[in-house]
Amino acid sequence: MRRLWIPLALAAALGPGAALALTAEEIVDRANRASFYAGDDGIARATLVISDKEGRTREREFTILRKDAEDGGEQLYYVYFHKPGDVRRTVFLVHKRVGRDDDRWLYLPALDLVRRIAASDKRTSFVGSHFFYEDVSGRSPAEDTHALAEETPEHYVLDNVPKDPRSVEFTRYRVWIDKQTFLPLAAEYTDAQGKVYRRMEVLEVKDVGGYPTVLRARMEDRNTGGSTLLTFEEVAYDKGISADIFTERYLRNPPREYIRR
Protein backbone atom coordinates (compact mmCIF):
# COMPACT_ATOMS: atom_id res chain seq x y z
CA MET A 1 0.00 0.00 0.00
CA ARG A 2 1.38 3.26 -0.80
CA ARG A 3 3.25 5.12 1.80
CA LEU A 4 1.13 8.26 1.36
CA TRP A 5 -2.24 8.98 3.43
CA ILE A 6 -4.03 12.21 5.72
CA PRO A 7 -7.63 13.29 6.23
CA LEU A 8 -8.51 16.19 3.95
CA ALA A 9 -10.68 17.57 6.73
CA LEU A 10 -7.61 18.30 8.84
CA ALA A 11 -5.91 20.40 6.18
CA ALA A 12 -9.18 22.21 5.43
CA ALA A 13 -9.77 22.97 9.11
CA LEU A 14 -6.32 24.46 9.47
CA GLY A 15 -6.84 26.73 6.48
CA PRO A 16 -4.28 28.15 4.07
CA GLY A 17 -2.93 30.71 6.56
CA ALA A 18 -2.02 28.02 9.07
CA ALA A 19 -0.47 25.85 6.34
CA LEU A 20 1.95 28.65 5.38
CA ALA A 21 3.31 28.67 8.93
CA LEU A 22 4.26 24.99 8.93
CA THR A 23 7.88 24.05 9.58
CA ALA A 24 9.69 21.47 7.44
CA GLU A 25 9.39 18.93 10.26
CA GLU A 26 5.63 19.53 10.57
CA ILE A 27 5.18 19.09 6.82
CA VAL A 28 7.15 15.83 6.89
CA ASP A 29 5.12 14.55 9.84
CA ARG A 30 1.84 15.25 8.04
CA ALA A 31 3.15 13.69 4.84
CA ASN A 32 4.21 10.59 6.74
CA ARG A 33 0.77 10.24 8.32
CA ALA A 34 -0.97 10.93 5.01
CA SER A 35 1.11 8.30 3.28
CA PHE A 36 0.99 5.45 5.79
CA TYR A 37 -1.68 5.95 8.46
CA ALA A 38 -5.09 6.26 6.74
CA GLY A 39 -7.62 4.59 9.03
CA ASP A 40 -6.60 2.17 11.76
CA ASP A 41 -5.85 -0.53 9.19
CA GLY A 42 -6.01 -1.09 5.43
CA ILE A 43 -6.10 -3.68 2.68
CA ALA A 44 -5.46 -3.50 -1.08
CA ARG A 45 -4.75 -5.66 -4.13
CA ALA A 46 -1.64 -4.53 -5.95
CA THR A 47 0.16 -5.15 -9.22
CA LEU A 48 3.78 -4.45 -10.08
CA VAL A 49 4.67 -4.17 -13.77
CA ILE A 50 8.46 -4.27 -13.99
CA SER A 51 10.02 -3.00 -17.23
CA ASP A 52 13.65 -3.11 -18.31
CA LYS A 53 15.36 -0.70 -20.71
CA GLU A 54 14.50 -3.01 -23.64
CA GLY A 55 10.80 -2.74 -22.85
CA ARG A 56 10.47 -6.31 -21.60
CA THR A 57 8.02 -6.63 -18.71
CA ARG A 58 7.32 -8.92 -15.79
CA GLU A 59 4.39 -8.75 -13.36
CA ARG A 60 3.82 -9.41 -9.69
CA GLU A 61 0.38 -9.51 -8.04
CA PHE A 62 -0.07 -9.35 -4.29
CA THR A 63 -2.38 -8.45 -1.43
CA ILE A 64 -1.12 -6.06 1.25
CA LEU A 65 -2.55 -5.73 4.77
CA ARG A 66 -1.63 -3.01 7.26
CA LYS A 67 -2.48 -2.42 10.91
CA ASP A 68 -1.44 0.56 13.05
CA ALA A 69 -0.39 0.10 16.67
CA GLU A 70 -0.80 3.87 17.08
CA ASP A 71 -1.31 6.79 14.72
CA GLY A 72 2.10 7.95 13.51
CA GLY A 73 3.81 5.15 15.44
CA GLU A 74 4.55 1.45 15.05
CA GLN A 75 2.79 -0.56 12.33
CA LEU A 76 2.40 -4.08 11.00
CA TYR A 77 2.49 -5.06 7.29
CA TYR A 78 1.67 -8.41 5.62
CA VAL A 79 2.24 -8.89 1.86
CA TYR A 80 1.03 -12.12 0.18
CA PHE A 81 2.02 -12.85 -3.44
CA HIS A 82 -0.51 -14.41 -5.84
CA LYS A 83 1.41 -14.32 -9.14
CA PRO A 84 3.52 -15.37 -10.97
CA GLY A 85 3.83 -19.03 -10.08
CA ASP A 86 7.46 -18.85 -8.97
CA VAL A 87 6.64 -16.38 -6.18
CA ARG A 88 3.08 -17.55 -5.36
CA ARG A 89 2.53 -17.97 -1.59
CA THR A 90 5.62 -15.91 -0.82
CA VAL A 91 4.94 -13.65 2.18
CA PHE A 92 6.72 -10.46 3.24
CA LEU A 93 6.13 -9.42 6.86
CA VAL A 94 7.17 -6.10 8.41
CA HIS A 95 7.01 -4.87 12.00
CA LYS A 96 7.65 -1.15 11.58
CA ARG A 97 9.46 0.32 14.60
CA VAL A 98 9.99 3.85 15.89
CA GLY A 99 13.51 4.89 16.85
CA ARG A 100 15.13 1.68 15.61
CA ASP A 101 15.32 -0.55 12.53
CA ASP A 102 12.17 -2.29 11.35
CA ASP A 103 11.92 -6.08 11.63
CA ARG A 104 11.37 -7.75 8.22
CA TRP A 105 10.86 -11.40 7.26
CA LEU A 106 10.39 -13.17 3.94
CA TYR A 107 8.70 -16.59 3.73
CA LEU A 108 9.87 -18.68 0.75
CA PRO A 109 7.34 -21.51 0.22
CA ALA A 110 9.49 -23.54 -2.22
CA LEU A 111 12.06 -23.96 0.56
CA ASP A 112 9.56 -23.70 3.44
CA LEU A 113 12.03 -21.18 4.80
CA VAL A 114 11.55 -17.97 6.78
CA ARG A 115 14.43 -15.57 6.07
CA ARG A 116 15.06 -12.51 8.17
CA ILE A 117 15.91 -9.46 6.05
CA ALA A 118 18.86 -7.60 7.49
CA ALA A 119 18.60 -3.87 8.12
CA SER A 120 21.44 -3.42 5.62
CA ASP A 121 19.21 -4.90 2.88
CA LYS A 122 16.31 -2.48 3.34
CA ARG A 123 17.38 -0.44 0.32
CA THR A 124 17.59 -3.37 -2.07
CA SER A 125 15.06 -4.46 -4.69
CA PHE A 126 11.61 -5.54 -3.49
CA VAL A 127 10.89 -8.83 -5.34
CA GLY A 128 12.83 -7.78 -8.42
CA SER A 129 11.08 -4.42 -8.84
CA HIS A 130 12.54 -0.89 -8.80
CA PHE A 131 10.90 -0.26 -5.41
CA PHE A 132 12.99 -1.07 -2.33
CA TYR A 133 11.96 -3.05 0.75
CA GLU A 134 12.07 0.25 2.64
CA ASP A 135 9.56 1.77 0.20
CA VAL A 136 6.87 -0.73 1.27
CA SER A 137 6.56 0.43 4.89
CA GLY A 138 8.24 3.83 4.52
CA ARG A 139 11.49 5.47 5.52
CA SER A 140 11.52 6.87 9.05
CA PRO A 141 11.50 10.72 8.97
CA ALA A 142 13.98 10.65 11.89
CA GLU A 143 16.67 9.20 9.61
CA ASP A 144 17.00 12.46 7.66
CA THR A 145 17.24 16.21 8.19
CA HIS A 146 14.59 18.21 6.34
CA ALA A 147 14.55 21.70 4.85
CA LEU A 148 11.87 23.58 2.92
CA ALA A 149 13.58 24.36 -0.40
CA GLU A 150 10.64 25.94 -2.18
CA GLU A 151 6.92 26.59 -1.85
CA THR A 152 4.59 26.85 -4.82
CA PRO A 153 0.81 27.40 -4.87
CA GLU A 154 0.40 23.61 -5.14
CA HIS A 155 3.41 22.03 -3.42
CA TYR A 156 5.84 22.07 -0.55
CA VAL A 157 9.26 21.15 -1.96
CA LEU A 158 11.55 19.63 0.66
CA ASP A 159 15.21 18.62 0.55
CA ASN A 160 16.12 15.67 2.77
CA VAL A 161 19.66 14.65 3.76
CA PRO A 162 20.48 11.34 5.51
CA LYS A 163 21.95 11.68 9.01
CA ASP A 164 24.04 8.56 8.36
CA PRO A 165 25.18 8.80 4.72
CA ARG A 166 27.02 5.46 4.99
CA SER A 167 23.71 3.63 5.42
CA VAL A 168 22.19 4.67 2.07
CA GLU A 169 23.14 4.96 -1.60
CA PHE A 170 21.89 8.58 -2.03
CA THR A 171 23.29 11.88 -0.78
CA ARG A 172 19.92 13.64 -0.64
CA TYR A 173 16.41 13.45 -2.05
CA ARG A 174 13.88 16.12 -2.97
CA VAL A 175 10.14 15.56 -2.41
CA TRP A 176 7.13 17.43 -3.83
CA ILE A 177 4.24 17.32 -1.32
CA ASP A 178 0.68 18.27 -2.27
CA LYS A 179 -0.54 21.18 -0.07
CA GLN A 180 -4.13 19.93 0.07
CA THR A 181 -3.63 16.24 0.78
CA PHE A 182 -0.04 16.23 2.10
CA LEU A 183 0.64 13.24 -0.14
CA PRO A 184 4.17 13.17 -1.64
CA LEU A 185 3.56 13.30 -5.40
CA ALA A 186 7.16 12.99 -6.60
CA ALA A 187 10.63 12.27 -5.22
CA GLU A 188 14.08 12.49 -6.80
CA TYR A 189 17.18 10.80 -5.36
CA THR A 190 20.64 12.28 -6.02
CA ASP A 191 23.92 10.33 -5.92
CA ALA A 192 27.41 11.45 -4.86
CA GLN A 193 28.07 12.85 -8.35
CA GLY A 194 25.04 15.13 -8.10
CA LYS A 195 23.03 13.08 -10.60
CA VAL A 196 19.35 12.26 -10.14
CA TYR A 197 19.41 8.48 -10.60
CA ARG A 198 16.04 7.45 -9.12
CA ARG A 199 12.63 9.10 -9.42
CA MET A 200 9.18 8.30 -8.00
CA GLU A 201 6.06 9.84 -9.51
CA VAL A 202 2.43 9.49 -8.40
CA LEU A 203 0.12 9.07 -11.41
CA GLU A 204 -3.33 8.80 -9.80
CA VAL A 205 -4.92 9.80 -6.48
CA LYS A 206 -8.50 9.08 -5.46
CA ASP A 207 -10.59 9.58 -2.33
CA VAL A 208 -11.26 6.23 -0.66
CA GLY A 209 -13.50 6.33 2.40
CA GLY A 210 -12.56 9.97 3.05
CA TYR A 211 -8.81 9.37 2.69
CA PRO A 212 -6.83 10.64 -0.34
CA THR A 213 -5.19 7.47 -1.65
CA VAL A 214 -2.48 6.85 -4.23
CA LEU A 215 -3.75 4.31 -6.78
CA ARG A 216 -0.88 4.41 -9.29
CA ALA A 217 2.80 5.32 -8.95
CA ARG A 218 5.96 4.72 -10.96
CA MET A 219 9.53 4.23 -9.77
CA GLU A 220 12.22 4.91 -12.37
CA ASP A 221 15.88 3.82 -12.18
CA ARG A 222 17.79 6.12 -14.51
CA ASN A 223 21.02 4.15 -14.12
CA THR A 224 19.55 0.95 -15.57
CA GLY A 225 16.82 2.50 -17.74
CA GLY A 226 14.15 0.37 -16.07
CA SER A 227 10.98 1.29 -14.19
CA THR A 228 8.15 -0.27 -12.19
CA LEU A 229 4.49 0.73 -12.30
CA LEU A 230 2.62 0.04 -9.04
CA THR A 231 -1.20 -0.10 -9.17
CA PHE A 232 -3.59 -0.50 -6.22
CA GLU A 233 -7.16 -1.82 -6.49
CA GLU A 234 -9.91 -2.78 -4.03
CA VAL A 235 -8.48 -0.41 -1.40
CA ALA A 236 -10.37 -0.37 1.90
CA TYR A 237 -9.74 0.98 5.40
CA ASP A 238 -10.88 0.19 8.94
CA LYS A 239 -11.64 -3.49 8.29
CA GLY A 240 -10.89 -4.61 11.86
CA ILE A 241 -7.87 -6.70 10.86
CA SER A 242 -6.52 -8.73 13.80
CA ALA A 243 -2.93 -8.15 14.95
CA ASP A 244 -2.54 -11.96 15.20
CA ILE A 245 -2.27 -12.13 11.40
CA PHE A 246 1.05 -10.29 11.46
CA THR A 247 2.88 -13.16 13.16
CA GLU A 248 5.11 -15.99 11.97
CA ARG A 249 2.25 -18.50 12.25
CA TYR A 250 0.44 -16.78 9.35
CA LEU A 251 3.46 -16.90 7.06
CA ARG A 252 2.71 -20.57 6.29
CA ASN A 253 -1.05 -20.29 6.84
CA PRO A 254 -2.22 -17.08 5.14
CA PRO A 255 -5.54 -15.52 6.26
CA ARG A 256 -7.94 -16.75 3.55
CA GLU A 257 -10.63 -14.17 4.35
CA TYR A 258 -8.31 -11.43 3.10
CA ILE A 259 -6.26 -13.04 0.34
CA ARG A 260 -8.84 -15.21 -1.46
CA ARG A 261 -9.43 -14.04 -5.03
Side-chain angles (χ1 to χ4, degrees):
M1 226 157 311
R2 69 316 160 326
R3 318 177 59 174
L4 326 170
W5 304 340
I6 192 174
L8 277 172
L10 177 58
L14 290 168
L20 289 173
L22 293 176
T23 67
E25 286 71 22
E26 289 169 334
I27 296 168
V28 169
D29 180 63
R30 291 192 182 188
N32 182 50
R33 292 171 188 265
S35 300
F36 299 107
Y37 293 89
D40 293 329
D41 59 42
I43 181 172
R45 310 284 188 180
T47 302
L48 293 168
V49 179
I50 306 163
S51 303
D52 66 17
K53 65 179 181 180
E54 306 296 336
R56 294 171 295 200
T57 61
R58 295 173 290 138
E59 293 192 14
R60 303 274 189 268
E61 292 184 20
F62 60 89
T63 293
I64 182 167
L65 309 174
R66 169 185 57 85
K67 186 174 184 64
D68 301 343
E70 59 179 313
D71 191 32
E74 298 196 349
Q75 293 180 304
L76 307 170
Y77 286 85
Y78 183 101
V79 180
Y80 177 90
F81 285 85
H82 300 278
K83 296 179 180 178
D86 61 342
V87 298
R88 182 175 176 273
R89 297 179 56 225
T90 296
V91 178
F92 177 51
L93 178 66
V94 181
H95 289 182
K96 185 175 179 177
R97 308 301 190 185
V98 174
R100 60 187 175 97
D101 287 326
D102 297 346
D103 293 314
R104 297 179 173 87
W105 299 267
L106 192 65
Y107 172 62
L108 303 171
L111 303 175
D112 192 24
L113 174 69
V114 176
R115 181 167 71 89
R116 183 134 186 169
I117 299 176
S120 58
D121 290 335
K122 63 184 180 182
R123 294 195 62 79
T124 60
S125 171
F126 174 62
V127 293
S129 78
H130 298 88
F131 289 91
F132 292 162
Y133 282 104
E134 188 178 60
D135 295 324
V136 176
S137 53
R139 178 173 176 80
S140 170
E143 293 191 80
D144 307 312
T145 59
H146 314 282
L148 182 61
E150 184 183 356
E151 188 172 341
T152 73
E154 297 82 20
H155 303 113
Y156 296 109
V157 184
L158 273 75
D159 283 334
N160 310 275
V161 177
K163 294 177 180 176
D164 181 7
R166 296 170 300 178
S167 66
V168 293
E169 81 289 354
F170 59 83
T171 57
R172 67 181 179 89
Y173 61 99
R174 173 166 284 194
V175 179
W176 285 258
I177 297 172
D178 184 273
K179 282 188 168 180
Q180 294 299 315
T181 66
F182 282 89
L183 290 176
L185 298 183
E188 293 183 344
Y189 295 80
T190 301
D191 63 18
Q193 288 71 48
K195 173 187 172 185
V196 174
Y197 68 96
R198 188 169 189 258
R199 187 174 196 276
M200 183 280 295
E201 179 183 16
V202 169
L203 304 176
E204 182 180 359
V205 175
K206 185 177 180 180
D207 184 284
V208 178
Y211 300 102
T213 300
V214 173
L215 296 184
R216 288 195 305 141
R218 176 186 292 116
M219 184 68 78
E220 174 188 7
D221 184 335
R222 294 182 176 177
N223 285 335
T224 67
S227 66
T228 296
L229 177 65
L230 172 59
T231 303
F232 291 105
E233 298 178 304
E234 302 176 38
V235 180
Y237 301 113
D238 295 320
K239 301 296 291 182
I241 301 172
S242 170
D244 291 342
I245 289 172
F246 303 86
T247 59
E248 187 168 339
R249 180 164 69 93
Y250 278 89
L251 295 176
R252 293 180 172 84
N253 299 287
R256 296 181 180 277
E257 66 270 34
Y258 295 117
I259 66 167
R260 185 176 295 165
R261 53 183 306 156

